[in-house]
Amino acid sequence: MVVATGFFDGVHLGHREVIGQLVASAKTRGEESAVITFWPHPRMVLRKDARGLRLLSSLTEKKEMLLSLGVDRVEVLDFTREFAALTMEAFLREYVMGLCSGTAVLLGYDNRMGSDCSSPEDLVAVASSLGLDVIQAPLVSSNAGYAVSSTKIRTALEVGDMEQAAAMLGYDYSLYGVVVAGNRLGRTLGFPTANMSLYEPLKLVPSDGVYLVRVETAGKQRYGMCNIGVKPTVGTTNSRTIETNIFDFDEEIYGLPMRLTFLRKIRDERRFADLRELSIQLALDKESCLSIIG
């Protein structure tokens, strides 16, 4: 078994390069491939800036993406303070060699394992001393020429740069949740909306504004425009919502799952003088979305 380890948040292009090499190396060796990952995020347990942490993928999404890339086995370990205290050698013995029967370990360019791992070179030395073959994965850059990272993707999403985020992820970013009841304001404006409650509360929500999205719900796929924000035109104490006007769609979908895939940010959220002005702007937003689709 050839084993790779890491949190793999978002399973972005950098991760995909590692996983591709993992799967290829395992096939060359006539073995299977395994990924050891963790949940929850280490920052949540170790309380390192945990308050502001938001994730690019839920645990379910992460596992599905890893398996779709050809990984034979995904092991999810419970990340606790006790687990974090394991030495590099103990981790390799207990989980890479023990749990996964690993014969080789694949290392990303910045891989760390164990509480005492100060550098990739340390890891190579210890793994080799245990009889594990070590395979090195290359550094992956985006089209802009800099290293891909989950942090950089989060930064792009936090300013609504969906194209840049997609260029680093290797796919368009999405949110997955259930349709819940709203205040039906959109319907009175001629733009009925489906409000979403996320399945994973820690999933990162892009910056406030209006977006062109692809919508999957009720077994159908449509385009729509999604507003993220606090609807400042109708009050100053509104909670942040994710609501979507689905084009050419008028079905009852309360309680059903819905996935929103973000394609382009149309504009920032802003306060309008009245509902009539807001309705006019929504019509313009829809025109902008349709022109992009066309």
Side-chain angles (χ1 to χ4, degrees):
M1 186 81 71
V2 183
V3 182
T5 74
F7 193 75
F8 296 106
D9 188 26
V11 193
H12 57 58
L13 283 180
H15 298 143
R16 286 165 185 258
E17 182 69 26
V18 171
I19 298 305
Q21 190 166 350
L22 171 73
V23 172
S25 298
K27 288 182 178 178
T28 298
R29 295 166 63 97
E31 301 180 33
E32 292 190 325
S33 58
V35 167
I36 296 176
T37 190
F38 322 104
W39 199 265
H41 194 286
R43 279 171 56 185
M44 302 300 296
V45 176
L46 302 177
R47 301 187 183 279
K48 294 183 177 180
D49 302 318
R51 183 184 296 274
L53 175 66
R54 291 296 178 267
L55 302 175
L56 301 175
S57 55
S58 67
L59 178 58
T60 298
E61 289 170 329
K62 178 166 64 172
K63 290 172 65 176
E64 287 176 349
M65 284 190 282
L66 290 170
L67 292 171
S68 74
L69 295 173
V71 174
D72 295 302
R73 177 177 170 186
V74 177
E75 292 288 346
V76 181
L77 305 182
D78 186 18
F79 195 93
T80 63
R81 287 185 173 273
E82 292 73 23
F83 177 80
L86 282 176
T87 65
M88 176 178 15
E89 181 175 345
F91 176 79
L92 290 171
R93 284 186 183 279
E94 185 172 346
Y95 294 105
V96 174
M97 301 175 72
L99 178 65
C100 292
S101 302
T103 61
V105 60
L106 187 140
L107 305 181
Y109 78 97
D110 62 348
N111 235 163
R112 298 288 191 276
M113 297 180 198
S115 59
D116 58 343
C117 183
S118 59
S119 71
E121 291 74 23
D122 289 343
L123 210 163
V124 171
V126 173
S128 298
S129 73
L130 294 174
L132 285 167
D133 293 333
V134 178
I135 304 167
Q136 295 275 9
L139 174 66
V140 176
S141 297
S142 71
N143 294 334
Y146 56 84
V148 173
S149 73
S150 297
T151 298
K152 290 172 182 173
I153 295 167
R154 292 187 192 105
T155 298
L157 293 172
E158 286 166 355
V159 297
D161 191 343
M162 311 314 295
E163 295 97 326
Q164 182 62 31
M168 291 186 283
L169 284 167
Y171 58 89
D172 292 314
Y173 188 70
S174 66
L175 297 177
Y176 189 41
V178 62
V179 179
V180 296
N183 61 9
R184 295 185 174 270
L185 174 64
R187 188 171 295 278
T188 66
L189 297 174
F191 294 91
T193 59
N195 284 36
M196 171 188 279
S197 175
L198 295 175
Y199 285 138
E200 173 50 70
L202 287 180
K203 188 82 183 278
L204 191 154
V205 177
S207 64
D208 290 356
V210 177
Y211 294 83
L212 168 63
V213 294
R214 188 167 57 247
V215 187
E216 297 172 60
T217 190
K220 298 178 181 178
Q221 189 173 112
R222 295 281 192 277
Y223 287 105
M225 58 180 183
C226 173
N227 184 82
I228 297 173
V230 296
K231 296 177 287 190
T233 303
V234 294
T236 58
T237 59
N238 300 318
S239 58
R240 195 180 190 213
T241 59
I242 305 166
E243 49 186 352
T244 305
N245 172 244
I246 308 173
F247 303 153
D248 304 316
F249 186 86
D250 188 22
E251 296 184 19
E252 183 62 65
I253 54 174
Y254 288 126
L256 296 184
M258 180 170 71
R259 183 178 295 279
L260 300 177
T261 300
F262 290 78
L263 305 177
R264 187 83 60 85
K265 186 172 185 177
I266 304 301
R267 64 171 173 85
D268 291 333
E269 184 180 51
R270 64 179 188 268
R271 184 180 184 278
F272 295 92
D274 51 38
L275 293 181
R276 178 179 175 278
E277 187 175 309
L278 171 59
S279 180
I280 292 172
Q281 181 60 55
L282 291 175
L284 294 174
D285 294 338
K286 183 173 182 179
E287 285 183 17
S288 297
C289 290
L290 294 176
S291 68
I292 295 170
I293 296 167

